[in-house]
Amino acid sequence: MSVSVPGRRSSTFTRLLRHGFTDPAAAERLINLPEMASVRSDSVLLDALGAVADPDLALRSFVRLVEAQEPASRHVLLDTVITAKPLRDRLLGVLGASEALGDHLARHPIDWQALVTYEAVDLHPGVEEFERGLADATDPVSLRIAYRRCLLAIAARDVCGTIDVAQTAAELADLATATLRAALAIARTAAPDDAALCRLAVIAMGKCGGHELNYVSDVDVIFVGEPTDTADEGKAIQAATRLASHLMRICSETTVEGTIWPVDANLRPEGRNGPLVRTLSSHLAYYQRWAKTWEFQALLKARAVAGDPALGEEYIEAVSPLVWQAAERENFVTDVQKMRRRVVDNIPVAEVERELKLGPGGLRDVEFAVQLLQLVHGRSDATLHSGSTLEALQALAAGGYVGRVDAAQLDDAYRFLRAMEHRIQLYRLRRTHLVPEQEADLRRLGRSLGLRTDPVAELNREWRRHASVVRRLHEKIFYRPLLDAVAQLTPGETRLSPKAAGQRLEALGYADPAAALRHLEALSSGVTRKAAIQRTLLPVLLGWFADSADPDAGLLGFRKVSDALGKTPWYLRLLRDEGAAAENLARVLSAGRLAPDLLLRAPEAVAILGDPEGLKPRGRDHLEQEILAAVGRAETAEGAVAAARGVRRRELFRTTAADLIGSYGTEESPAEPDTGALVNQVGNAVTDLNAATLSGALRAVVRAQWGDTLPTRFAVIGMGRFGGRELSYGSDADVLLVHEPREGVDEQEAARAANTVVAEMRRLLQLPTADPPLLIDADLRPEGKSGPMVRTLASYEAYYRRWSLVWEAQALLRAESMAGDADLGRRFIELIDPLRYPAEGLGEDAIREIRRLKARMETERLPRGADPTLHTKLGRGGLSDVEWTVQLIQMRHGWAEPGLRTTRTREALAAAHAAGLLTTEDAQILDEAWILATRVRNGVMLVRGRPGDTFPSDGRELAAVGRYLGYGPGHVGDMLDDYRRITRRARAVVEVLFYGA
């Protein structure tokens, strides 16, 4: 023993520090205990401790084990540890990795001898060897002790590298099998009468069934029972249920020796609501009639492990064909992916980044993906029928269903993540999948995986690297082989057959797999640089397309854009190098018809998707400046208006793309949570765009016929949604047209000029071209279709003074000057303000008239056969209900409340609430309904490419509208239910506020 000098560290302290101890002072005290006298100066012990995951933990546990020995056997342990390297490595390796097994050895100090002898058969024990190890157990306590002793041997082989992570998982599953058999034997011994009545088979599921169990995990099982030859079936199933319940308690309950693991039977038919034990025929009846997709996915790992072996095999033979037919079910892949998303969504936000099993890039991602491919291709290839993830991955690679390099990378990542999971659980034998946060825990974890230079930094780096591989796995294992199947690249590489590629595309949601394969072949075949870049891009794009309601349309649109821009050097470079551009393009192309139609008319607009500022709408001033400059460069009115319409088409594409990407979200940025902001963005952008286009058309027509100056001042007044800045994609431009003769100009000449301008603007804006038309609708003018298209300001004044009806004053609430002579537009607004905001508000007669008109509109204008609960404009609680309610408030109180003097529905609603004219709850209900109805109209236009006021009847189009509104696959019913619920509440508010009910 070294002598310490005050103020100086002892040589032992320094050696301990050098050997990796983090608390050398405590370690030195332990080594200096009398019980350690015979080994404290032996460098062999220190060297061995320095090699384990946690030297401090290993020494503490070893000292406890030494202290627990009888004095006579203590020197045997110490001598054996010093002289026998295999035992030394195994024992100290376990003690340095598992505090829980150290506790077990302190309680049962002779169990260290289980690590002494290692014959060849001990290196890879199976179920029989573990059964022998548990044979003396006669009750739950002795079973736990024997189980821990067997577990000790597995952990020793694991931490010493005698077995790899897959062999460790298989041995743990074999030990679980032996334990279930021993527990059932104890249960049968305790109830011999029950045992005589029934045959009971225990089917392992999940990781136990797949031969890939963790150190601490629920053991998932299903129980199958049948009566013995003479027994009554009902009594036999009751007896089997009692035996199964006792088996579960034997394994799960906490005793003085703790617990083994929970036995979970919730994967059985009907889950925890169903009977614990069923007959084989009852199982089959359920699976054939009621089972959901996930239940067949779970059965992929089913394996008979205990009880009646013949009955167990009958069960496996009976359910196996059903498993391999699951991929033919409607919405199969959607269901599986939806379940995966639900798992991720249920992880607490604070734990997502540390979740090793369920988080993005975690173990479950690999397992789900491998199982999905097994179920898709296992229908026609029995080599894929394996419950083990790693064996199945190997078989998928051998069959060409997954690229060999990709499979090797995933195998490596999965093994590393499973090794992390094993070591995390081994420490305290607790069921957890969270990567620890404490430095000491991370250090022990890193060292246990062989990372010794800088364990914490190396561990984090390796973990993130492997998780990144897994996160890219859908691209790797789903889509790349599809390309290889058509691109015919590396000679000798096993590829997907056309049939297998078609099966996979169909399973992933492609309605026409043959056409999809033709598109892939056209895009990716050949040895050109363009084809090589496409082969890099397509696997990722295919995944994004498959995540939409119409993957076929996305792929077809991409082919068309690529054909149009294929020779343009910047196009593929943009998609390859600008991370957001490719995903944005995939979202836009697969979300419906409108955005792709706009893009395909001028594909170069795809550049917008790669510019970080590209999706922001341009303001009115910017648009007018660009359009008027384009008009100025044109030689004819037709050319000028065509240029203005070209700008409008490009900006409509920008607006639709921003709306879709904001609604869907991307991998880098989530969907916009404020749907009202999306509605406002669309309304403002389309309104500014249409106003600027009208300004350009007006300038073009005037310049072509009159030069710089029209004989009469001319203004365009926006009405309806145009004036309210609430335009949808398919809205017409509702307008009033006003003019005022210039000084010295004859009124008739001025009127002819004004009417000529209107007629020519309408003609040019509707000419059939590649650009969408802009329809000018002036039906809200005085006298409607019977009145003149354009009037002087004086004529409007005379009409409104003498003839104006209450509905016309209501329509003027949305009037706003949009184009032309700004001063004339301002004076028109001043003229109509007293009509729309009457002094002292509306009289009772006017209120009754507005209510009568609204009621008549509800009964007469709703299209025949339309569902009034789903019509966004005229239906219950729809746009008309909310807008008429808000407008009635404006006309009654606008004279006294300046905030109500706005053309915008949501602004007026907020002002009415601020003025105390309606409650917070009523304002929120009306606002929510109005936003939702507007979003549905926008969604219908985006999906169908033409306007509509109700939900589409086509299933795929309806699903696409649902995705736009934020509803995942399979939730169309929820969307319609939510729409009806929200608008029903709005109608109840309308009944009170508008009708005075």
Side-chain angles (χ1 to χ4, degrees):
M1 182 177 128
S2 59
V3 178
S4 296
V5 177
R8 291 182 59 190
R9 289 177 173 175
S10 69
S11 60
T12 303
F13 184 100
T14 306
R15 286 169 61 213
L16 289 167
L17 202 59
R18 195 167 61 246
H19 278 85
F21 285 83
T22 56
D23 189 354
E28 187 173 13
R29 286 194 296 274
L30 290 173
I31 284 177
N32 286 331
L33 289 172
E35 292 84 353
M36 301 291 288
S38 64
V39 296
R40 73 170 60 113
S41 60
D42 198 317
S43 62
V44 167
L45 178 62
L46 268 191
D47 290 343
L49 286 167
V52 304
D54 187 338
D56 301 82
L57 173 63
L59 178 58
R60 284 198 304 273
S61 297
F62 181 61
V63 170
R64 289 175 66 204
L65 175 60
V66 170
E67 291 174 332
Q69 300 296 313
E70 295 292 332
S73 54
R74 187 173 293 156
H75 76 276
V76 177
L77 169 61
L78 292 170
D79 289 349
T80 309
V81 165
I82 294 299
T83 58
K85 184 179 188 304
L87 169 77
R88 183 168 64 245
D89 291 344
R90 291 193 289 271
L91 177 59
L92 296 181
V94 168
L95 294 178
S98 179
E99 186 178 71
L101 289 176
D103 292 343
H104 171 83
L105 284 171
R107 287 196 309 274
H108 305 282
I110 63 170
D111 278 6
W112 68 271
Q113 294 174 15
L115 304 179
V116 174
T117 56
Y118 261 47
E119 303 297 332
V121 70
D122 293 320
L123 295 180
H124 300 290
V127 177
E128 288 183 16
E129 288 76 22
F130 288 126
E131 284 188 287
R132 283 199 293 273
L134 303 176
D136 294 336
T138 56
D139 56 56
V141 172
S142 59
L143 181 61
R144 279 154 178 68
I145 296 170
Y147 174 84
R148 284 287 191 320
R149 192 181 304 123
C150 292
L151 192 67
L152 185 67
I154 295 175
R157 287 189 290 276
D158 178 17
V159 297
C160 291
T162 307
I163 53 177
D164 66 15
V165 68
Q167 291 168 318
T168 302
E171 287 191 17
L172 289 166
D174 285 342
L175 176 56
T177 296
T179 306
L180 289 169
R181 291 178 183 179
L184 182 56
I186 294 170
R188 289 169 68 90
T189 302
D193 292 342
D194 284 345
L197 281 174
C198 66
R199 301 164 62 203
L200 176 64
V202 183
I203 311 298
M205 304 286 284
K207 282 191 160 53
C208 185
H211 231 78
E212 50 188 18
L213 198 60
N214 299 328
Y215 276 102
V216 188
S217 174
D218 290 359
V219 170
D220 296 309
V221 299
I222 286 176
F223 295 107
V224 190
E226 293 287 348
T228 52
D229 293 339
T230 58
D232 172 75
E233 182 177 298
K235 291 181 179 177
I237 295 303
Q238 290 174 357
T241 301
R242 288 191 290 271
L243 289 174
S245 298
H246 193 187
L247 177 153
M248 293 174 71
R249 290 197 303 277
I250 288 168
C251 296
S252 305
E253 286 182 345
T254 301
T255 70
V256 290
E257 285 294 332
T259 183
I260 301 177
W261 19 245
V263 176
D264 188 340
N266 288 338
L267 291 177
R268 67 186 184 269
E270 299 180 76
R272 64 186 61 192
N273 297 320
L276 183 63
V277 182
R278 290 175 183 256
T279 62
L280 178 56
S281 59
S282 174
H283 275 281
L284 290 176
Y286 173 84
Y287 287 128
Q288 289 165 349
R289 187 169 185 187
W290 303 111
K292 296 182 172 62
T293 298
W294 70 263
E295 293 178 275
F296 294 110
Q297 185 181 358
L299 282 171
L300 193 148
K301 293 184 177 292
R303 181 169 62 93
V305 293
D308 190 301
L311 178 57
E313 286 309 313
E314 282 183 65
Y315 175 89
I316 298 300
E317 288 177 13
V319 301
S320 186
L322 302 177
V323 172
W324 303 110
Q325 294 164 13
E328 296 165 12
R329 293 163 64 92
E330 189 176 356
N331 297 323
F332 162 70
V333 170
T334 302
D335 287 346
V336 175
Q337 292 176 335
K338 185 165 61 178
M339 185 164 72
R340 174 71 191 110
R341 277 192 290 268
R342 192 159 59 238
V343 168
V344 174
D345 290 344
N346 289 334
I347 302 171
V349 174
E351 296 180 359
V352 169
E353 291 301 315
R354 296 193 294 126
E355 177 58 70
L356 196 62
K357 176 181 177 182
L358 303 177
L363 292 161
R364 188 59 62 86
D365 273 346
V366 182
E367 293 158 0
F368 262 66
V370 169
Q371 289 166 26
L372 198 54
L373 288 181
Q374 283 181 275
L375 292 169
V376 169
H377 298 298
R379 291 177 285 176
S380 55
D381 188 345
T383 65
L384 304 181
H385 295 190
S386 170
S388 160
T389 301
L390 290 174
E391 287 179 9
L393 184 57
Q394 191 175 9
L396 286 164
Y401 304 103
V402 175
R404 289 186 186 278
V405 173
D406 295 333
Q409 288 182 339
L410 283 170
D411 182 284
D412 190 36
Y414 188 73
R415 286 173 184 273
F416 182 84
L417 295 174
R418 281 303 299 271
M420 278 184 72
E421 182 184 43
H422 279 182
R423 297 293 196 273
I424 291 168
Q425 293 184 350
L426 180 60
Y427 175 48
R428 285 190 173 143
L429 289 182
R430 289 181 183 169
R431 181 172 178 260
T432 179
H433 309 286
L434 291 178
V435 177
E437 294 180 291
Q438 297 300 318
E439 182 91 3
D441 293 327
L442 290 169
R443 181 175 181 272
R444 180 182 54 257
L445 179 56
R447 283 174 60 93
S448 76
L449 296 170
L451 308 172
R452 297 301 173 94
T453 307
D454 185 353
V456 176
E458 290 178 71
L459 173 68
N460 281 317
R461 186 166 58 249
E462 286 297 294
W463 173 31
R464 299 302 176 192
R465 180 174 69 83
H466 287 297
S468 173
V469 169
V470 174
R471 272 197 295 272
R472 298 199 313 274
L473 117 157
H474 277 76
E475 164 202 340
K476 286 179 167 295
I477 73 175
F478 280 127
Y479 305 114
R480 278 202 187 151
L482 291 169
L483 284 233
D484 293 342
V486 297
Q488 299 175 3
L489 298 174
T490 313
E493 176 78 14
T494 307
R495 294 189 187 84
L496 280 182
S497 67
K499 178 183 176 185
Q503 283 179 332
R504 187 175 303 189
L505 283 164
E506 189 173 8
L508 290 164
Y510 287 82
D512 188 350
L517 283 172
R518 286 197 300 273
H519 298 324
L520 291 178
E521 185 172 11
L523 287 163
S524 64
S525 288
V527 294
T528 64
R529 185 167 174 275
K530 181 178 81 171
I533 296 176
Q534 287 283 22
R535 287 193 291 271
T536 303
L537 291 169
L538 276 165
V540 193
L541 290 166
L542 283 169
W544 286 323
F545 294 148
D547 191 37
S548 73
D550 195 350
D552 300 79
L555 181 55
L556 174 61
F558 181 68
R559 182 179 175 185
K560 288 180 176 177
V561 173
S562 295
D563 287 347
L565 295 177
K567 294 180 181 177
T568 310
W570 56 264
Y571 166 63
L572 289 175
R573 190 168 64 241
L574 170 81
L575 297 185
R576 184 192 62 195
D577 298 340
E578 296 294 336
E583 185 178 2
N584 289 345
L585 178 61
R587 298 295 180 208
V588 165
L589 290 176
S590 56
R593 295 180 185 173
L594 178 61
D597 285 351
L598 292 169
L599 178 59
L600 289 169
R601 288 168 181 170
E604 64 277 1
V606 77
I608 288 171
L609 303 176
D611 180 356
E613 300 294 310
L615 295 176
K616 292 183 179 178
R618 301 294 185 256
R620 171 92 64 92
D621 292 343
H622 179 105
L623 292 168
E624 277 199 12
Q625 185 178 1
E626 180 181 2
I627 286 175
L628 292 178
V631 166
R633 290 191 297 269
E635 295 182 358
T636 64
E638 284 84 355
V641 175
R645 288 174 65 181
V647 173
R648 179 171 178 267
R649 182 240 318 119
R650 184 198 69 211
E651 294 304 317
L652 275 176
F653 172 70
R654 189 193 309 276
T655 305
T656 58
D659 188 16
L660 288 168
I661 292 160
S663 299
Y664 272 72
T666 65
E667 291 182 358
E668 294 300 321
S669 65
E672 169 59 60
D674 183 358
T675 53
L678 288 172
V679 165
N680 291 347
Q681 179 177 292
V682 172
N684 285 328
V686 179
T687 298
D688 285 342
L689 186 50
N690 286 356
T693 305
L694 289 174
S695 293
L698 176 60
R699 171 75 63 87
V701 170
V702 170
R703 194 189 63 174
Q705 296 201 36
W706 292 278
D708 291 335
T709 307
L710 186 67
T712 184
R713 295 182 180 85
F714 186 92
V716 179
I717 309 298
M719 298 288 285
R721 298 194 181 288
F722 187 25
R725 300 183 65 79
E726 296 163 354
L727 284 175
S728 298
Y729 297 113
S731 302
D732 296 345
D734 289 319
V735 297
L736 294 179
L737 301 162
V738 57
H739 78 104
E740 185 178 63
R742 296 187 185 277
E743 291 181 13
V745 176
D746 176 68
E747 283 200 12
Q748 288 188 336
E749 179 190 348
R752 279 195 301 273
N755 278 291
T756 300
V757 166
V758 172
E760 189 65 0
M761 283 176 67
R762 296 182 78 186
R763 182 183 75 83
L764 292 173
L765 289 170
Q766 295 178 51
L767 277 177
T769 70
D771 300 314
L774 175 56
L775 303 179
I776 296 176
D777 185 340
D779 288 353
L780 291 174
R781 65 188 183 270
E783 301 177 74
K785 293 181 180 178
S786 305
M789 183 70 70
V790 57
R791 290 174 180 260
T792 62
L793 184 63
S795 175
Y796 275 107
E797 184 178 10
Y799 175 86
Y800 287 139
R801 186 175 62 249
R802 188 171 182 185
W803 305 109
S804 174
L805 301 174
V806 68
W807 73 263
E808 291 179 298
Q810 183 184 349
L812 289 170
L813 285 168
R814 312 295 288 276
E816 183 175 305
S817 180
M818 288 292 173
D821 189 293
D823 179 66
L824 179 60
R826 178 186 55 76
R827 286 187 284 130
F828 179 87
I829 299 301
E830 290 173 353
L831 166 67
I832 63 171
D833 270 351
L835 274 79
R836 53 185 182 174
Y837 309 122
E840 304 301 324
L842 286 176
E844 287 302 315
D845 289 346
I847 293 171
R848 274 195 299 273
E849 176 65 9
I850 289 174
R851 288 171 175 164
R852 186 186 68 78
L853 286 170
K854 175 77 169 73
R856 180 180 162 194
M857 186 175 73
E858 288 176 13
T859 57
E860 294 180 3
R861 290 185 59 187
L862 191 70
R864 181 177 297 178
D867 183 345
T869 67
L870 293 175
H871 198 279
T872 59
K873 184 175 181 182
L874 302 174
R876 178 194 70 190
L879 295 170
S880 175
D881 270 1
V882 176
E883 289 165 2
W884 280 60
T885 301
V886 171
Q887 288 162 12
L888 182 59
I889 292 172
Q890 287 181 281
M891 295 185 76
R892 295 179 71 177
H893 302 284
W895 65 279
E897 292 291 341
L900 290 171
R901 297 171 208 160
T902 174
T903 63
R904 305 183 185 205
T905 302
R906 296 189 69 207
E907 275 189 13
L909 188 57
H913 171 246
L917 300 174
L918 74 168
T919 67
T920 300
E921 183 182 11
D922 286 351
Q924 289 174 343
I925 288 170
L926 293 178
D927 191 51
E928 182 182 22
W930 188 88
I931 289 170
L932 179 57
T934 303
R935 293 260 296 153
V936 172
R937 292 182 95 202
N938 285 347
V940 169
M941 182 67 184
L942 285 166
V943 168
R944 302 178 68 194
R946 60 182 188 275
D949 288 320
T950 190
F951 289 89
S953 56
D954 176 80
R956 184 162 277 207
E957 291 180 345
L958 186 62
V961 172
R963 296 300 298 276
Y964 170 73
L965 295 178
Y967 292 87
H971 286 278
V972 163
D974 294 340
M975 171 180 68
L976 299 178
D977 289 345
D978 286 349
Y979 183 87
R980 289 188 171 105
R981 174 179 54 80
I982 290 166
T983 53
R984 182 174 63 245
R985 292 174 67 207
R987 178 64 184 200
V989 174
V990 170
E991 291 288 349
V992 174
L993 295 180
F994 183 82
Y995 287 110

